[in-house]
Amino acid sequence: MKYQLGEGFWSQKIRQVCDRMIPLQLSILKDEEPDTEPSHALENFRIAAGLSEGEFHGMVFQDSDIGKWIEAAAYRLMIAPDPELEREIDGIVAILGKAQQEDGYLNTWYTIKEPGKRWTNLQDCHELYSFGHLTEGAVAYHQATGKRAFLEIMQRMADHIDTVIGPEEGKLHGYPGHPEAELALYRLYRETGNEKYLKLSRYFLDQRGQAPNFFEEEWERRGRINFWSGKKDPVNLPYYQAHQPVREQEEAVGHAVRALYLYTGMACVAAETGDAELAEACRRLWHSAVNRKMYVTGGLGATVHGEAFMGNYELPNDTAYAETCASVALCFFSRAMSLMERDGKYGDAAETALYNTVLAGISLQADRFFYVNPLEVVQGVSGVQEGLKHDLAQRPRWYACACCPPNVARLLTSLKEYAVQDQGSEITVHQYLDGSVECEKAALSLKTNYPWDGDLLYTAEIRDDVKLYLRIPAWAEPENVRLTVDGAAVPVCPEKGFICLEPGKGRHEIRLCLPMKPRRIYAHEQIRQDAGCVAFACGPLVYCLEGCDNPEPLWNLTADPEGELSMLDPDGSLPDGIRKMVIPGHRRTDASESLYSGRRPVYEPQKLTAIPYYAWANREPRDMRVWIREG
Amino acid sequence: MKYQLGEGFWSQKIRQVCDRMIPLQLSILKDEEPDTEPSHALENFRIAAGLSEGEFHGMVFQDSDIGKWIEAAAYRLMIAPDPELEREIDGIVAILGKAQQEDGYLNTWYTIKEPGKRWTNLQDCHELYSFGHLTEGAVAYHQATGKRAFLEIMQRMADHIDTVIGPEEGKLHGYPGHPEAELALYRLYRETGNEKYLKLSRYFLDQRGQAPNFFEEEWERRGRINFWSGKKDPVNLPYYQAHQPVREQEEAVGHAVRALYLYTGMACVAAETGDAELAEACRRLWHSAVNRKMYVTGGLGATVHGEAFMGNYELPNDTAYAETCASVALCFFSRAMSLMERDGKYGDAAETALYNTVLAGISLQADRFFYVNPLEVVQGVSGVQEGLKHDLAQRPRWYACACCPPNVARLLTSLKEYAVQDQGSEITVHQYLDGSVECEKAALSLKTNYPWDGDLLYTAEIRDDVKLYLRIPAWAEPENVRLTVDGAAVPVCPEKGFICLEPGKGRHEIRLCLPMKPRRIYAHEQIRQDAGCVAFACGPLVYCLEGCDNPEPLWNLTADPEGELSMLDPDGSLPDGIRKMVIPGHRRTDASESLYSGRRPVYEPQKLTAIPYYAWANREPRDMRVWIREG
């Protein structure tokens, strides 16, 4: 499925990733970026390859940064050729090849720092995680260029892993501490056709959480020492989603990114193998994550403690974690579910994550990045106070643990895979990605200013009979949606979130008009942190109030329960045609000396101005909040 | 000033302390209480005395528990003789005498566990803290019985300290890590007249925070190791209020109990010596603690991290720390300020602390205790979630760090000192303590059902011309207060919170009627956690909603901004004549499946029932909250 950029919202974002983020990240990986702490990721491979001397530096999973960058760069090459970029990748692949050991093993941490200790700590040392990301990079690069060198490197490593881990006697009966290899092995199987990789992926999935517990046994073997704390901490199995077999799991728990990578792997394998029990577990876990534990911004993993899911409906706004990677991973998981069954809810959730938390992960200039995405920021408290130190009010330039920026890069450069699903005679449009996609039997071209207006104009060149499924977002009441095919109105009665068109061969103009009226959002009655509050959205974009546009402190503002919300035309204070929202409200205006008194607070009318959540923290650092008191 | 119990609110509480808490605590100190972890506090002294064999057990400041218990027991003896209790104390004092070293040194931790290391860690090892509490016990026991043995033991220890610490060359230029010795030395000076103790107290105060910093030097000397973490943590000077000289301090910071003990010592010394600069520092710090950092319940120290004050107006309800001891210490500090200058604000703050957080520290049966006093509790979250583990929904029976229960015991048994101040020809009534106090020139007897009604009937036997100052609480609008002396109305125009009466010699009936109408309380506009919320009070009692009386979850309840609040007659569901409050309100009644939707929440009228905050968690564990959304 070939994709050509257009001129709209996503094309502009993808161009930024291609033109700024990918070169920036390469520069960082090569330790060439000024004023940024060296990544050492490539240097680690050079040392392992004998091309350089020195010590290992970085996280135990530093290798994965290379895999994720190559993956993003490969997708970038699929959009448009770039011989210079390809040469860079080939150069890196050559180093990786030299760093690979005789037996296929490839991991710089163990090769440089802990030789002889391979496979002794699957729980925490990320060998299989780094393998997974490198493999995803190798698959993508093979898809982009047809070059096999990297793919073969990673096949050799996969073959080696298969000799070390598995159900047979004498092998380790283990699985990844940080899931990722499961979905990567699935992709390697799809790319190579070698069923061994599917089998190993399935082994990882089904062995997880079985008794006796592999992580507990491994922990005993290494003297009960926790790798991260250096202390004798017991194994927190739910953190690793290893507390019970995956088929029995009912609730999304533990480290959110690990969980969502695991569920993605489960969904891929379930769809591929027609495993109904595994598919049902995926549906339960998707429901738990999305309908019990997701922020209105598509953020997941509410607590910094273990970067983990909290209990049902526990969604604190100021202490939120909501790692960018978790929202990226929700896109992976939802796409895998979409491939299993056509239901608009998967695209709805991915849309929420994409337009809000994923995009909030990068600055409007695509040069600074959020790892953590709070829904409330208070100057002098957020980023400062114990318990809130992770909630920064400004995007840092880079992170020692740099997982999020390359994750956003690889997601956005491959966004066509999330937007359009080509099954030959069925084409499903999940997301409204401007530009053109070339499917097997049709070419679809979308011109639109969406999400700044709701007018989506598709030109479809249909070469053979196809059913074209368009997702109608859950926020768009069908009675307010207008759809025409070649000027003729089509009734809008979505089934499971989709309208099916069969326009027939030839060129067609399909015009979808979504109702882009700004709207209020209320939270479930069990979410205590949002009680009495309202949030605002327009189309897929959740809005927030920032101190730059409103009198601080923001907690003294209320939104009127009635009264019209309106959208402003772009005013130049934010780039990219961003539209602000105006909300009728009030502001507390009394001033007290004493902390407590019997005097009722005084409120005066105050126009509130909201901006898209993804655009926050792009001006001077000020307070921000998504949920506003209604009153 | 002799005090005789009456039949009212406080007398009943004091009787519970005398009849239940003091015997219970003795039993625990003697390791005789079933189903309670042994304290070992007395056993440590036995071992140090050579009367028993074994190891030290307990906190580094375990000795202080003995001092605090003896102090409470001594006050109890002042209320009514109890030869058996006195014999117990004498027995303990004899052991303490034997545990005292040749040179006067008395501390079981160093004597048993770390001999030879005395005075090497003033910052964290609490030698001076334990000394202080034992000294307060000794002073109280001397006051109660005239027996000098304990007092002399503690004078020998004080004399020894004076040879070790001080400004002279060759001495340590240090001060207590946990303030307490400052105020204890002041009391020892008052009891003995020996100015050496006042001088040492003043040295501790004025040396604190001077450069070069003693704690930093000490930390260097012990290899930079932190006693508690065992790690090379730098010294957090503000935690110890040692970041600058006390006279320069502007803001209440660090560990709240340490801070308030320190400020109490400062206020005592300032009043005694007429030190205007020190007095001014006390006023600033009192203002900071009470008018910037106090919960509506009189709780102080908002964060579990360091049991410390947070920034101005940072008063989270669910993660609150608000240690019982900190509210006890606010009574100490406010009393010391009252002795310095007559201003009703000190009694107002002490009243808030006393009737709310201090009393919440003990169960209605006086057999279970809170250390931490949150203003919002959510079942399944409070006491469970990371960051909320300290906020329990039920009072435990006892604590390994058992500082709070004996602190409440010694405060309540000496409550007369906080209620009435006898300066000969001036008698100041700060708190309405039922029962009789015998002052130098008058006897005052109060009969009242306060705080269940506002009718306070004093019978005063005046033997000489006295001015009688009555505090009119800040919550009582003077225009609604009625005051009669022998039936004749007296205009109520308080000055700095007090009305001055000069009834003349003879017997007088003074009737004060306070307006006990339930009322609404609103928080300062800078307290973000209380924005949009209202609290309720009646007289000095702050009320809260508990799940036992209201439909849960409590966050779905709103209090109507208008509408009459009413008090119920006692209904038997809570003991002691406790009166509930009825608040007109609403309850959210809609039920959603999805986490977020455009449907406006639906509210239906709901009568809310509140109980006094101090009485919460005395039925089955349920949700609780003080601040209710107003809407």
Side-chain angles (χ1 to χ4, degrees), chain A residues 231 287 289-297 303 305 310-311 313-315 318 376 378 381 385-388 520-533 553 555-556 560-562 588 590-601 603 625 627 629-630, chain B residues 231 287 289-297 303 305 310-311 313-315 318 376 378 381 385-388 520-533 553 555-556 560-562 588 590-601 603 625 627 629-630:
Chain A
K231 290 192 197 160
H287 172 71
V290 171
N291 293 327
R292 294 290 177 268
K293 304 192 175 192
M294 188 176 81
Y295 286 100
V296 69
T297 50
T303 176
H305 301 286
M310 297 179 89
Y313 309 110
E314 271 296 310
L315 292 160
D318 59 348
E376 179 185 355
V378 178
V381 171
Q385 224 173 57
E386 287 291 340
L388 283 161
R520 294 177 169 86
I521 299 179
Y522 297 96
H524 191 282
E525 66 276 7
Q526 291 294 333
I527 306 181
R528 68 190 174 99
Q529 292 90 354
D530 304 335
C533 290
W555 61 79
N556 282 334
D560 296 353
E562 312 286 342
R588 183 172 174 183
D590 57 310
S592 335
E593 175 51 24
S594 63
L595 277 184
Y596 309 103
S597 85
R599 281 190 308 281
R600 186 182 305 284
Y603 284 84
R625 62 193 290 156
W627 291 98
R629 288 196 287 126
E630 190 172 67
Chain B
K231 290 191 198 161
H287 173 71
V290 171
N291 293 327
R292 293 290 178 270
K293 305 194 175 192
M294 189 176 81
Y295 286 99
V296 70
T297 50
T303 176
H305 301 285
M310 296 177 89
Y313 308 111
E314 270 297 309
L315 293 160
D318 58 347
E376 178 186 356
V378 178
V381 171
Q385 222 171 60
E386 286 293 341
L388 283 161
R520 293 177 170 87
I521 299 179
Y522 297 96
H524 192 281
E525 66 277 7
Q526 291 294 333
I527 307 182
R528 67 189 173 101
Q529 292 89 355
D530 303 335
C533 290
W555 61 79
N556 282 333
D560 295 352
E562 311 287 341
R588 182 172 174 183
D590 57 310
S592 336
E593 175 49 24
S594 63
L595 277 184
Y596 309 104
S597 84
R599 283 190 307 280
R600 187 182 303 284
Y603 284 84
R625 61 194 290 157
W627 291 98
R629 288 195 286 128
E630 191 171 67

Side-chain angles (χ1 to χ4, degrees), chain A residues 163-179:
Chain A
T163 68
V164 175
I165 307 174
E168 296 84 1
E169 211 172 322
K171 291 188 183 177
L172 289 172
H173 305 321
Y175 39 87
H178 192 314

